Amino acid sequence: MSKERIKIAPEMFDIMPEEYQDLVERATYGNEHRGWKDIGTSKELIEEHSLCAGCPESMAFRYILASLPAPEDTVMVGSTGCTSLVFPHVGVHNIHSLFGNQNAIASGLKRALSVRFPGRVKDVVVLAGDGATVDIGLDMTLQAWFRQEKFTTICFDNELYANTGGQESGLMQKGFVAKMAPVGKTFEKVKLPEIARESGCHYVVNCTVSKPNLVEKVIKNAIHVAREIGPTYLQLYTPCILEIGKNSMEGLQEMRDSEKPTERFAYKEYVSDQAKELLTELAAKEKERKAALKKQLAGQA
Amino acid sequence: MSTMYQVLRGPEHFLPPAAASMGIRLPDPGQAHIHGKIVNEDEAMEVAARQFLSAKVPTIFPGPLVLWAWNEKAAGKATAIRHLYETIKECVTPSQQAMLIPMPDYRPKYPKINPEIEINPNHPNLTIWHNKIDTCMFVGVHCHQANLSLKIIRGGTYCYTIAMCAQAGHEDAMVSFRDATADKIRKLADWVKKLKGSVEPPKDD
């Protein structure tokens, strides 16, 4: 699990575009303690993207890719939407599925990887919008959870179909009027986190991406639980600033406003007993590692 | 099956037919094809070498199978490709500009690629137009991506295409080799060296 598997042929190094040279020399592949704090000091697995200026989804993408525990052994499955404009630029294996089909693809992929690479940990992470997760792909989403497939599902919830101009989605809040949904939503936002819990997900979180350290924590937890126990689900609020009438610099504030205790993206977490046990164990190990490191540094001083 | 169809320089038209659908078949081991006609491999070596020497911008497009050191075989091919490039550079006149441009990624790049430094199989014409490439060789590109690119190039550009394929060859290239190895690539470099001075360089516009 390291950069040893990602080497440019020496005779071709000088002709490779700079971003590929950087990926090999300065990315954090193989570093099991990688995290959002590496952003700015190492090569990110996403740098250029074609999302709108100030798009919270691009922030979420950066934090998530910085937080994957083992990007060199991770395959992400995307679906139709703004995310599919970003995947061509990321330094992680990924598959674009048919709209809504992402959890079915991920199920087969995870099983195939277990057979093909026995004894090696391979993470599968689904990353799709709310339309793909809750409307068009709800069947595939739920069935994967019922079957206890061992992968993480992340939903970028922007509460409408943003990529196609603002149609109503199941995760849109009640009463919201969108550009192509002029009557306003007449029923409540689908409670997918609760449905996920009842469908067998072992780790479920509903939050915004305003705090990178929180995103890192939930991503790592979700992936570790999915590896060992079963399905996990993260619903992350990534508002579409264009479709809700905000300016480029207002995305962060929008998320902060929406995560207040009484708001729909107040931090909500469900952890099964099995997952609690695992996460406690992992936290203890991490604490031990940090204490040892501290001791070592003190010894050096 | 006999055919009248020839795989020639484009621009053929917006969407040229796949050469295979026009009756062009792949060579057997030890053979190659020129414009769709099965020939002895040495004959194709000579034609490819002449193309490089007579082109204004003879270019090699190495793909991911040789850009990355997957294993010793891949690294060996990369060394041979570099040798071929250096040989072409040495053997052409100062008015000709040999290029080595990588195809590092098959995924379409949005909003745009940089055609000066890379080629993308989904729009290879951009790199060819930008650099005025009139002869190119694909090597280390997965077959399905090479097929896609070769057809686009034949459809929309004047570029002469050569495929140095590690499998069974490409119907859509104007010259196609099969079972490419590092030795075969070096052999092509030897042909270029051998023919140096015997091929008329391109005339200035």
Side-chain angles (χ1 to χ4, degrees):
Chain A
M1 287 211 318
S2 73
K3 286 185 201 170
E4 282 162 28
R5 297 217 297 273
I6 308 164
K7 271 188 198 155
I8 297 174
E11 285 78 8
M12 297 290 160
F13 194 88
D14 64 325
I15 60 160
M16 281 293 250
E18 203 182 343
E19 66 258 35
Y20 296 88
Q21 296 175 355
D22 275 355
L23 268 180
V24 172
E25 294 190 326
R26 298 196 304 112
T28 50
Y29 295 112
N31 174 4
E32 56 181 309
H33 307 299
R34 61 194 304 277
W36 76 273
K37 285 182 180 164
D38 299 327
I39 292 176
T41 56
S42 63
K43 168 73 178 174
E44 286 184 57
L45 303 189
I46 169 71
E47 271 184 0
E48 292 178 21
H49 59 77
S50 46
L51 298 178
C52 305
C55 172
E57 192 169 291
S58 66
M59 289 164 62
F61 240 111
R62 295 176 72 185
Y63 300 157
I64 290 170
L65 292 181
S67 308
L68 294 174
E72 65 280 6
D73 279 308
T74 300
V75 185
M76 299 188 77
V77 182
S79 196
T80 307
C82 294
T83 57
S84 45
L85 299 174
V86 181
F87 274 118
H89 302 273
V90 305
V92 178
H93 288 296
N94 60 85
I95 294 175
H96 180 76
S97 67
L98 284 178
F99 207 166
N101 220 14
Q102 62 280 347
N103 279 41
I105 299 277
S107 302
L109 179 65
K110 177 71 187 183
R111 292 177 188 200
L113 289 171
S114 315
V115 175
R116 174 65 181 80
F117 300 100
R120 194 190 291 172
V121 176
K122 289 279 180 186
D123 297 320
V124 173
V125 177
V126 166
L127 178 53
D130 48 307
T133 308
V134 184
D135 295 342
I136 298 164
L138 185 63
D139 182 8
M140 274 61 80
T141 306
L142 293 184
Q143 297 289 347
W145 293 344
F146 297 159
R147 291 191 306 265
Q148 292 288 289
E149 302 287 354
K150 288 182 164 181
F151 63 84
T152 298
T153 304
I154 303 171
C155 172
F156 274 180
D157 180 6
N158 56 16
E159 304 193 298
L160 42 63
Y161 288 81
N163 195 233
T164 46
Q167 293 82 11
E168 177 180 315
S169 92
L171 287 188
M172 183 187 269
Q173 52 185 311
K174 188 177 179 183
F176 191 83
V177 175
K179 284 179 194 160
M180 293 201 193
V183 176
K185 179 118 180 271
T186 56
F187 61 94
E188 292 292 343
K189 181 179 175 77
V190 173
K191 292 190 168 70
L192 199 62
E194 285 78 2
I195 294 172
R197 185 190 66 203
E198 295 304 316
S199 305
C201 284
H202 291 269
Y203 183 80
V204 179
V205 167
N206 176 62
C207 65
T208 78
V209 297
S210 68
K211 301 181 186 78
N213 54 343
L214 178 70
V215 177
E216 178 181 326
K217 188 188 100 181
V218 301
I219 291 289
K220 286 185 172 170
N221 284 351
I223 291 176
H224 283 127
V225 171
R227 264 186 204 171
E228 305 291 333
I229 302 169
T232 55
Y233 174 62
L234 305 175
Q235 187 165 316
L236 306 177
Y237 183 42
T238 55
C240 174
I241 44 179
L242 295 184
E243 294 301 328
I244 60 173
K246 302 269 178 182
N247 289 323
S248 295
M249 69 293 279
E250 291 173 331
L252 183 59
Q253 193 55 49
E254 164 63 22
M255 289 190 283
R256 284 178 178 158
D257 292 343
S258 309
E259 65 193 6
K260 288 175 182 161
T262 53
E263 293 295 329
R264 60 201 188 286
F265 286 99
Y267 185 79
K268 196 160 51 180
E269 180 185 77
Y270 164 74
V271 192
S272 73
D273 291 340
Q274 259 177 300
K276 259 181 213 159
E277 210 176 298
L278 176 76
L279 294 176
T280 311
E281 201 181 302
L282 291 174
K285 275 187 192 162
E286 181 62 9
K287 206 173 163 186
E288 244 172 62
R289 185 188 72 85
K290 280 186 178 164
L293 194 66
K294 209 172 167 184
K295 213 171 160 185
Q296 196 188 337
L297 287 173
Q300 281 171 1
Chain B
M1 181 183 169
S2 66
T3 175
M4 294 300 287
Y5 189 78
Q6 283 190 301
V7 185
L8 300 173
R9 263 184 206 271
E12 185 159 337
H13 52 73
F14 179 63
L15 194 62
S21 72
M22 301 305 286
I24 302 297
R25 63 184 179 86
L26 292 171
D28 286 328
Q31 298 177 325
H33 83 63
I34 302 172
H35 303 158
K37 188 181 160 209
I38 305 289
V39 296
N40 181 287
E41 193 176 85
D42 277 345
E43 198 179 321
M45 285 273 171
E46 185 178 343
V47 169
R50 284 185 186 280
Q51 280 300 327
F52 279 136
L53 291 168
S54 62
K56 281 183 184 164
V57 188
T59 303
I60 303 173
F61 293 133
L65 290 169
V66 293
L67 288 171
W68 298 89
W70 305 106
N71 49 38
E72 277 179 29
K73 213 166 140 188
K77 273 190 200 171
T79 311
I81 291 162
R82 191 78 197 202
H83 170 68
L84 173 61
Y85 166 66
E86 299 296 344
T87 308
I88 296 170
K89 228 166 57 165
E90 275 169 32
C91 295
V92 294
T93 61
S95 66
Q96 294 166 279
Q97 189 197 358
M99 295 186 94
L100 181 60
I101 298 180
M103 185 187 280
D105 223 315
Y106 296 147
R107 298 172 297 178
K109 290 200 172 183
Y110 300 116
K112 72 174 186 68
I113 64 153
N114 183 346
E116 270 177 42
I117 57 165
E118 65 179 315
I119 180 167
N120 187 281
N122 305 288
H123 33 68
N125 48 330
L126 300 182
T127 298
I128 286 170
W129 287 335
H130 183 89
N131 298 294
K132 299 184 168 55
I133 295 167
D134 53 353
T135 289
C136 71
M137 184 178 94
F138 278 60
V139 57
V141 180
H142 286 85
C143 294
H144 50 292
Q145 302 291 350
N147 281 338
L148 169 73
S149 280
L150 290 165
K151 215 153 83 79
I152 294 173
I153 294 170
R154 188 155 53 91
T157 81
Y158 178 68
C159 187
Y160 194 93
T161 55
I162 301 165
M164 181 58 81
C165 176
Q167 306 290 329
H170 290 279
E171 301 95 337
D172 284 290
M174 281 134 230
V175 172
S176 176
F177 299 96
R178 55 168 295 159
D179 306 318
T181 58
D183 285 346
K184 204 171 275 192
I185 297 164
R186 284 179 190 281
K187 193 176 163 191
L188 181 53
D190 292 343
W191 267 100
V192 172
K193 215 179 272 179
K194 190 174 149 187
L195 294 174
K196 181 186 175 185
S198 68
V199 179
E200 201 178 328
K203 290 185 181 73
D204 289 333
D205 289 328

